[in-house]
């Protein structure tokens, strides 16, 4: 079998020969080079470590008895360096006692051959170690691919496919975690609910692809406006949610106003189609015990959003300014259907039961719930 065929990554197999006796180095260099190996050499331990750092070899032939740093210490340092790939080390020494062999293997060496040695035996041991390296390298590659796949899968499980924001399920989990953290640390926490005004008419007039462009660009505006610690999610349809740690209601309203102004100033383009949009925003803070649970905090923000819609759209309403009414429910005592659904979803996230389904993939349809079948259904909230 040729040396090139043994190379774990193709090309010539690179061998590092370490020995403080120059004649030994020259003999091994000549014999290995004639077999097609690429040979690099070092005359002492520190020099060997430098060679390994510069260009890791496929295999090391390492003398044990060297002045200063011996082969055992060189092997220990190489094996302890997690930044290096797996490099087989064959100790080459005149020491033949059992305790010497044990010490060499425990220092990290993978094999051991005594001087004087038969070159054919040495090369056979090298080929065996190179086979082990090839298998180890393949295993490492598979593990890296698996880790990358797991990272991608985790991202897909918590991300909305269209906007690349956190999805409905995950944003509920985050809100529950942040609420508990804020309660524990006594830091403020706020939530902003943001809804694109008259989005259904955009879909009806220009089609869902244009609606998708608007959703995606609105998500970009939210990401650019939010801080690094803020958590931005697509709540469903054309509605977004931003969790604002260490933020009170007044600061949340200022954030929502920046978003509102940015959306109003933005020109949405989908080929020849040009669209201008506005947003309605509701914000609520958890400071001062206003909200006793993440469900209650979300309900307050949702009711404030409802008031922004009823107040003429394109505005920000704070929960402290809201009269407590919500969609299909003008009385403050009864919660809105959407807030009730949100509360149920948050309770599910807290108890690790089945989470509510994420938003529809395209999400460009209306977010309005179907009217109930009561004899006289209440009026639907404006878009």
């Amino acid at each position: 079998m040729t040396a090139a065929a043994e190379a774990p990554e193709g090309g010539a197999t690179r061998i590092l020969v370490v020995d403080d006796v120059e004649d030994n180095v020259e003999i091994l260099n000549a014999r290995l080079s004639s077999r097609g190996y690429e040979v690099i050499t070092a005359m002492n331990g520190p020099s060997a470590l430098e060679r390994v750092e510069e260009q890791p070899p496929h295999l090391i032939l390492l003398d044990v008895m060297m002045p200063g740093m011996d082969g055992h210490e060189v092997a220990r340092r190489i094996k302890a360096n997690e930044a290096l790939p797996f490099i087989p080390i064959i100790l080459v020494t005149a020491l033949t006692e059992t305790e010497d062999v044990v010490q060499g293997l425990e220092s990290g060496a993978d094999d051991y051959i005594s001087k004087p040695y038969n070159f054919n035996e040495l090369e056979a041991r090298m080929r065996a170690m190179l086979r082990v390296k090839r298998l180890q390298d393949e295993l490492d590659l598979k593990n890296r691919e698996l880790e990358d796949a797991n990272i991608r899968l985790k991202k897909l499980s918590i991300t909305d496919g269209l906007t690349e924001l956190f999805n409905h399920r995950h944003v509920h989990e985050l809100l529950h975690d942040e609420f508990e953290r804020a309660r524990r640390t006594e830091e403020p926490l706020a939530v902003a609910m943001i809804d694109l005004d008259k989005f259904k008419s955009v879909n009806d007039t220009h089609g869902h692809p244009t609606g998708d462009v608007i959703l995606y660009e609105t998500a970009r505006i939210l990401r650019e406006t939010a801080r690094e610690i803020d958590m931005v999610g697509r709540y469903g349809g054309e509605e977004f949610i931003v969790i604002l740690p260490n933020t009170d209601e007044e600061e949340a309203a200022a954030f929502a106003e920046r978003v509102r102004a940015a959306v109003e100033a933005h020109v949405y383009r989908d080929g020849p189609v040009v669209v201008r949009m506005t947003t309605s925003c509701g914000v609520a803070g958890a400071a001062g015990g206003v909200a006793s649970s993440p469900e209650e905090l979300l309900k307050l923000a949702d009711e404030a959003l409802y008031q922004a819609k009823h107040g003429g759209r394109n505005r920000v309403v704070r929960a402290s300014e809201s009269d407590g009414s919500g969609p299909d429910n003008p009385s403050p005592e009864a919660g809105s259907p959407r807030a009730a659904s949100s509360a149920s979803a948050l309770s599910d996230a807290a108890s690790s039961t089945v989470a509510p389904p994420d938003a529809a993939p395209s999400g460009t349809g209306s977010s309005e719930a179907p009217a109930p079948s009561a004899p006289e259904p209440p009026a639907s909230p404006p878009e």
Side-chain angles (χ1 to χ4, degrees), residues 41-380:
T41 63
M43 301 293 292
N44 53 59
S47 178
L49 294 176
E50 288 179 8
R51 299 284 192 279
V52 171
E53 290 284 350
E54 291 169 1
Q55 189 178 25
H58 299 120
L59 184 142
I60 301 174
L61 297 177
L62 178 61
D63 185 31
V64 173
M65 299 176 65
M66 294 185 295
M69 185 185 300
D70 65 14
H72 295 153
E73 181 62 21
V74 173
R76 270 192 292 269
R77 295 195 184 190
I78 291 174
K79 295 298 184 177
N81 189 342
E82 296 182 357
L84 294 173
F86 170 67
I87 305 173
I89 298 175
I90 300 178
L91 292 180
V92 183
T93 181
L95 300 175
T96 58
E97 297 296 327
T98 301
E99 55 267 27
D100 297 321
V101 176
V102 171
Q103 183 182 2
L105 295 175
E106 288 184 346
S107 69
D110 301 282
D111 200 357
Y112 196 103
I113 191 169
S114 300
K115 298 178 181 178
Y117 53 80
N118 181 280
F119 182 77
N120 290 333
E121 179 187 354
L122 174 64
E123 191 175 20
R125 290 177 182 272
M126 290 172 56
R127 285 198 296 265
M129 285 294 100
L130 289 169
R131 285 195 296 271
V132 172
K133 175 174 174 57
R134 184 167 58 250
L135 293 174
Q136 184 65 51
D137 289 348
E138 291 173 358
L139 179 60
D140 291 343
L141 177 60
K142 293 295 183 183
N143 286 337
R144 288 195 298 271
E145 291 174 348
L146 182 59
E147 289 173 2
D148 291 342
N150 285 335
I151 292 171
R152 291 194 298 271
L153 184 61
K154 179 175 175 56
K155 183 178 179 180
L156 288 172
S157 72
I158 65 175
T159 305
D160 174 69
L162 173 61
T163 63
E164 299 178 359
L165 302 177
F166 291 129
N167 61 25
H168 180 95
R169 176 182 57 80
H170 189 59
V171 84
H172 277 288
E173 296 171 348
L174 291 172
L175 180 57
H176 189 275
D177 292 344
E178 283 301 312
F179 191 91
E180 293 303 317
R181 185 195 61 79
R183 181 178 353 210
R184 186 174 60 254
T185 60
E186 298 183 350
E187 294 178 351
L189 173 68
V191 167
M193 301 288 287
I194 301 165
D195 191 273
L196 287 165
D197 297 325
K198 299 185 177 180
F199 183 75
K200 183 177 183 300
S201 63
V202 173
N203 279 337
D204 293 343
T205 303
H206 302 292
H208 288 263
T210 297
D212 288 349
V213 170
I214 292 173
L215 289 171
Y216 182 82
E217 293 188 9
T218 301
R220 179 175 54 80
I221 291 172
L222 286 168
R223 279 194 298 267
E224 291 173 352
T225 309
R227 303 167 300 177
E228 187 174 348
I229 64 171
D230 299 333
M231 287 150 274
V232 186
R234 183 182 179 191
Y235 198 71
E238 67 273 22
E239 193 169 0
F240 301 88
I241 180 173
V242 184
I243 302 170
L244 302 159
N246 201 23
T247 303
D248 59 25
E249 187 182 80
E250 181 178 354
E251 293 167 331
F255 164 80
E257 175 58 29
R258 291 195 298 272
V259 172
R260 186 206 63 78
V263 171
E264 185 179 32
H266 185 69
V267 178
Y268 294 87
R269 300 181 185 276
D270 180 26
V273 178
V274 177
V275 181
R276 304 299 290 264
M277 299 295 296
T278 61
T279 58
S280 297
C281 311
V283 299
V290 174
S292 60
S293 67
E295 296 90 343
E296 180 68 18
L297 180 61
L298 193 59
K299 175 177 177 289
L300 292 172
D302 190 61
E303 290 171 348
L305 173 60
Y306 178 83
Q307 292 296 312
K309 289 287 190 181
H310 263 279
R313 307 182 186 91
N314 192 25
R315 64 192 61 211
V316 177
V317 173
R318 305 179 189 182
S320 58
E321 303 170 336
S322 172
D323 62 9
S325 62
D328 301 325
N329 177 41
S331 71
E333 291 77 18
S336 70
R338 179 168 52 191
S341 172
S342 302
S344 173
L346 275 164
S347 297
D348 287 346
S351 59
S352 299
T353 57
V354 177
D358 295 337
S362 67
T364 54
S366 170
S367 64
E368 300 175 17
S373 57
E376 295 182 2
S380 299

